[in-house]
Amino acid sequence: MRGGGRTAWRACRVPALAVSLALLAGCGDGRGDPPARPDTGHQTGSCVTATGVLVADLDGDGTTDRVSSSYTGADLTVTFGAGGGRGTEVGPRDLVGDRGADAEDVVAVVADFDQDGWNDLFIAATDAFSGDSPIEPAVSEVRLGPFSARGRGQSDHHVDLTEPRAAAVADYDHDRYPDLAAYGHAGDGVYATTARLGGAQGLDRTSDDTNSKYLKEAEQTDRQTPAYMPKADLKTFYPTCTGTTGKD
């Protein structure tokens, strides 16, 4: 069975007496409230420039934003409001929130994993290597779009990964849904690239037979991201930008 589907988002605007419950629900972690989700008819289409920059309305404000390409997810750059001429540039550490603020590695990728017209944010934050046993990441989740410049999406969904140190958008099964490739420590010095497939129900959150067949152990026993780390051509999932939108 593929990973679980979406669950309803619970609002973060709560009375003072319910603050502790809000924290347990994932609210109050420094990311603020989610952006409003406009009607389908008001969506701004996504496209990819000749140099691989994703142009899309990530936060639903009607203005195009830009996402730079990134090999490992650590140097991802998102410019909110780029289409309006006054962009706000953020990276993974700006998006992760308080739970991952002190992590050794923070990586992120952006893609429309369920092809609902809104791009989603996958983000992971992991502490420093500490021995043979893999570390449970402080954050490893997909945040459904539209999402804000502080990394708040419509809802957060945990993705079960082993000590993720790098992430990339992949195309494992060659369908119309973007997939996720995550590279990390599997234990006892063994590193591997793990797949989580995208689909109509969103990004797979756990390993199953469909995902596990794409597992690839690295030949080296260190953190260096391997040369074979999958990286999809975003034009597989998005049209090519034209006119002034396509200018880098």
Side-chain angles (χ1 to χ4, degrees), residues 205-223:
R205 299 177 212 156
T206 59
S207 180
D208 57 22
D209 291 341
T210 305
N211 289 277
S212 61
K213 68 181 181 181
Y214 299 109
L215 177 73
K216 184 175 179 62
E217 291 187 357
E219 294 180 0
Q220 78 271 14
T221 56
D222 57 38
R223 286 184 45 185

Side-chain angles (χ1 to χ4, degrees), residues 140-164:
S140 177
E141 60 196 23
V142 61
R143 300 171 180 175
L144 303 183
F147 62 90
S148 72
R150 295 169 68 183
R152 172 69 72 190
Q154 303 301 298
S155 56
D156 301 342
H157 301 270
H158 177 73
V159 179
D160 186 16
L161 292 171
T162 303
E163 197 174 315

Side-chain angles (χ1 to χ4, degrees), residues 128-136 162-163 184-191 221:
F129 179 84
S130 64
D132 290 340
S133 298
I135 299 170
E136 185 74 18
T162 303
E163 197 174 315
H185 181 216
D188 296 327
V190 176
Y191 282 75
T221 56

